[in-house]
Amino acid sequence: MSNKSKRFRPEFRERAARMVLEEEKNHPSRWSAVMMIAPKLDIHPDTLSKWTRLHERANAPAVKINM
């Protein structure tokens, strides 16, 4: 039995995260959107949830602080 995890291309991760964010509006929670999409992409829901959080952080608008 192999103990290696799958490696996914950054483009795949980005698209998967965008799918969750797009689908989230049709579900009562983000987790329910993740649970619907993850099996379709053959990935673990926790992984998809993590990718979605990372995608949001990476694409959040910069906050300008006036001093």
Side-chain angles (χ1 to χ4, degrees), residues 5 9-10 13 15 18-19 21 23 27-28 30-31 38 41-44 48 54-57 59 61 63-65:
S5 62
R9 298 178 62 112
R13 293 176 185 209
R15 180 62 188 134
R18 285 194 311 267
M19 287 173 68
L21 295 174
E23 191 62 33
H27 291 270
R30 174 171 294 175
W31 185 249
L41 299 177
D42 194 28
I43 57 178
H44 195 279
L48 181 53
L54 291 172
H55 174 80
E56 277 188 315
R57 287 183 197 148
N59 296 295
V63 177
K64 186 175 179 181
I65 300 173

Side-chain angles (χ1 to χ4, degrees), residues 12-47:
F12 179 82
R13 293 176 185 209
E14 289 289 317
R15 180 62 188 134
R18 285 194 311 267
M19 287 173 68
V20 171
L21 295 174
E22 291 168 11
E23 191 62 33
E24 183 177 21
K25 30 189 153 161
N26 300 324
H27 291 270
S29 68
R30 174 171 294 175
W31 185 249
S32 64
V34 166
M35 291 299 291
M36 186 197 84
I37 294 169
K40 293 178 181 180
L41 299 177
D42 194 28
I43 57 178
H44 195 279
D46 290 335
T47 301

